[in-house]
Amino acid sequence: MFTGIIEAVSEITRVEKSGTECRIGIKNPFGNNIKTGDSIAVDGICLTVEKFSNENILFFVSKSTLNKTIAGNYKPGTTVNLERAMPANGRFDGHIVQGHVDSCGKVAEINKIGDGTEIKIVFDKNFENFTVPRGSIAVNGVSLTIAELAGNSFKISLIPETMKRTSFGKILKTGTSINLEFDILGKYAAKMVKKAGNADFESLIEKL
């Protein structure tokens, strides 16, 4: 499990494609504080460390992950967000992030508002039921709050510290594709509401 609080911003060093799969190398910002088999969220994608050295970390990326995320767009020099799995005794500063990307969204607008930055993101309308105003969402692995919601688009407000500590300051521009993971609590709630069907409100609350 992850929290959406980015530990390091790093860079893709190599991409080795093999059919519909690939391996990616990323500059290692963690030194020896990782081990083979560890889970690391790369732009919010939970990947497993295959090999590592002081310079690089190697990950295998499956066909399904390439199809569902922005990993298929990676090339040497791409800037990425990294977060190691949350330790059992760690602080829970963000929200529950599984590292299971649901869909890719696209940056539709970028507006500077004072020192902050407002981003409008358009996403697949099949996921509309998983979003609520002021709800949590992971964007390229970053735990953020939905500031405004309108159908299959939402706005997020990025403070200067977020721009500095994540890849956003380098990668965000109109048309950029980004990974989205919707709040797991919202997914469970949406499923229960769907299963409840025409049940009245009181019986639904009892099920929850």
Side-chain angles (χ1 to χ4, degrees):
M1 185 181 77
F2 306 93
T3 67
I5 304 301
I6 301 306
E7 290 189 277
V9 174
S10 193
E11 179 179 300
I12 302 291
T13 57
R14 58 179 170 147
V15 177
E16 301 172 356
K17 295 187 176 180
S18 177
T20 57
E21 303 167 332
C22 78
R23 283 180 168 81
I24 60 172
I26 298 177
K27 284 184 180 178
N28 181 4
F30 303 120
N32 289 319
N33 293 318
I34 57 173
K35 63 182 184 299
T36 302
D38 277 358
S39 293
I40 297 179
V42 179
D43 279 343
I45 310 165
C46 181
L47 297 177
T48 301
V49 176
E50 273 199 334
K51 298 178 182 178
F52 75 95
S53 65
N54 285 331
E55 291 76 34
N56 286 282
I57 310 172
L58 185 68
F59 301 94
F60 172 79
V61 186
S62 69
K63 176 182 176 181
S64 61
T65 299
L66 288 174
N67 289 340
K68 187 173 283 189
T69 71
I70 63 172
N73 299 331
Y74 287 160
K75 58 186 179 181
T78 299
T79 303
V80 292
N81 294 319
L82 300 181
E83 181 191 356
R84 291 172 293 176
M86 179 184 175
N89 61 347
R91 289 179 60 85
F92 194 85
D93 289 335
H95 74 281
I96 298 172
V97 178
Q98 295 182 296
H100 302 159
V101 172
D102 293 300
S103 180
C104 290
K106 188 161 287 190
V107 175
E109 295 177 14
I110 301 176
N111 295 300
K112 288 289 292 180
I113 301 177
D115 290 334
T117 305
E118 182 182 78
I119 311 293
K120 180 180 179 180
I121 295 172
V122 177
F123 62 97
D124 187 332
K125 60 178 60 180
N126 289 322
F127 294 96
E128 283 185 26
N129 288 339
F130 303 144
T131 55
V132 293
R134 302 296 183 270
S136 296
I137 191 165
V139 179
N140 273 13
V142 184
S143 175
L144 295 168
T145 301
I146 295 173
E148 293 182 27
L149 180 63
N152 66 318
S153 70
F154 63 86
K155 291 182 180 180
I156 52 175
S157 297
L158 304 178
I159 63 174
E161 192 69 10
T162 300
M163 296 292 284
K164 182 173 70 174
R165 291 181 175 272
T166 70
S167 66
F168 290 157
K170 291 186 177 181
I171 70 159
L172 286 183
K173 60 182 180 180
T174 302
T176 299
S177 293
I178 40 83
N179 290 323
L180 298 177
E181 181 184 331
F182 300 95
D183 187 5
I184 185 63
L185 300 179
K187 295 177 197 175
Y188 279 123
K191 183 174 182 178
M192 295 185 77
V193 169
K194 183 176 181 180
K195 280 194 170 185
N198 295 323
D200 61 34
F201 184 73
E202 288 186 3
S203 64
L204 175 59
I205 293 300
E206 289 177 2
K207 290 176 184 289
L208 292 174

